[in-house]
Amino acid sequence: MKLHFEVPGDDFTRAGEASGELKRKLKRLGFDPDVVRRAAIAMYEGEINMVIHAGGGVVDVEILPDKITIILTDYGPGIEDVDKAMQEGFSTAPDNIRMLGFGAGMGLPNIKKYTDTLNIKTEVGKGTVLTMTVLTNKQA
Amino acid sequence: MTIADVRDILNAFVITGQELLDKEVHNACGSDMMSDVLAFVKDQSVLLTGLVNAQVVRTAEMMDMVCIVFVRGKEPGEDIKKLAQERGIVLMKTPLRMFPACGLLYNAGLRG
């Protein structure tokens, strides 16, 4: 099953709508609650990042019995130093984002923590593509 | 304990989710940083926070939390109440500040 979501870049209150939808869909499909939660949290952090840094983007999800693949694509400023961005506590988010409960430098580290693979393709000035997978521990 | 016990211990006012007060809760988390909440999954059931926006409800949703307590008497807007209702999450507010609110719940048996 394939899903496609648009993440609007101008409305912080709507960030997470797509992840919530994915979560409900995975639950209905009967995936293990831990798998559902890991996929939803990882995508949610990705969505928040898109809204904070990149003016929104698109998310494509492929759901297979053994693996959930989530691809987040944006045309934002790109990540200058991926190693730094992967460190807990490193953030380039502006102060107004911290007032909203994010920007603690936990986004990418959380994504890495909850996914089984994470690939970051980024180019400064062009955008970023995050490809992440969550294994479902189910027989294919 | 149940969500009703949380309400009583914190002298809290239930804003939405009256019908869910008999749900059992075992764990809680207190934070204004949602990414910190998202960093530690432990079947936490109650989120105490001083932050009032829609992302609090979304974070609770992602974490399968069933109850959000706004400290210092903060009142969420209609959009937040509606979202919580749709997601089956109890919202309540307590006049207490974060530290005593967490302490009272910890003393009563909730864990982190």
Side-chain angles (χ1 to χ4, degrees), chain B residues 10-32:
Chain B
L10 299 180
N11 189 23
F13 174 80
V14 175
I15 300 162
T16 65
Q18 284 286 357
E19 70 284 6
L20 303 168
L21 296 185
D22 56 350
K23 276 197 182 176
E24 281 283 331
V25 291
H26 305 284
N27 290 278
C29 172
S31 181
D32 291 351

Side-chain angles (χ1 to χ4, degrees), chain A:
Chain A
M1 180 187 295
K2 289 190 178 181
L3 304 171
H4 178 81
F5 303 97
E6 306 275 337
V7 178
D10 54 350
D11 190 354
F12 185 76
T13 61
R14 289 185 57 196
E17 264 181 18
S19 313
E21 211 176 311
L22 175 71
K23 179 163 194 187
R24 290 188 291 281
K25 174 79 86 182
L26 292 175
K27 248 189 205 169
R28 275 201 301 274
L29 289 170
F31 284 103
D32 181 78
D34 176 62
V35 169
V36 174
R37 191 153 57 186
R38 287 196 293 125
I41 294 172
M43 178 165 154
Y44 180 49
E45 287 280 18
E47 253 192 273
I48 294 281
N49 276 348
M50 276 181 163
V51 176
I52 294 175
H53 297 287
V58 295
V59 187
D60 290 283
V61 182
E62 186 182 32
I63 304 169
L64 296 173
D66 61 331
K67 185 168 81 170
I68 298 157
T69 305
I70 303 168
I71 303 170
L72 297 107
T73 307
D74 72 58
Y75 301 97
I79 303 168
E80 270 187 37
D81 188 331
V82 174
D83 287 341
K84 266 193 181 169
M86 292 305 300
Q87 287 171 21
E88 287 190 6
F90 177 83
S91 176
T92 59
D95 282 345
N96 67 319
I97 293 300
R98 270 180 276 276
M99 304 275 291
L100 296 168
F102 288 90
M106 295 299 288
L108 285 173
N110 275 353
I111 291 173
K112 186 160 178 60
K113 182 171 166 179
Y114 290 118
T115 54
D116 293 291
T117 67
L118 169 64
N119 179 272
I120 304 174
K121 226 171 86 181
T122 186
E123 200 175 328
V124 172
K126 294 229 165 130
T128 300
V129 180
L130 288 190
T131 305
M132 53 183 96
T133 61
V134 174
L135 301 177
T136 63
N137 306 319
K138 275 189 179 176
Q139 298 296 317

Side-chain angles (χ1 to χ4, degrees), chain A residues 12-13 15-17 19-20 23-24 27 37 40-41 44-45 48 99-102 104 106 110 113-114, chain B residues 32-43 51 53-56 58-59 61-64 79 87:
Chain A
F12 185 76
T13 61
E17 264 181 18
S19 313
K23 179 163 194 187
R24 290 188 291 281
K27 248 189 205 169
R37 191 153 57 186
I41 294 172
Y44 180 49
E45 287 280 18
I48 294 281
M99 304 275 291
L100 296 168
F102 288 90
M106 295 299 288
N110 275 353
K113 182 171 166 179
Y114 290 118
Chain B
D32 291 351
M33 288 308 287
M34 293 303 107
S35 272
D36 284 344
V37 178
L38 291 164
F40 304 103
V41 170
K42 276 198 289 185
D43 281 324
L51 185 71
N53 66 39
Q55 298 310 331
V56 176
R58 296 215 191 276
T59 297
E61 179 189 8
M62 300 305 158
M63 301 293 280
D64 298 313
D79 53 331
R87 301 291 180 263

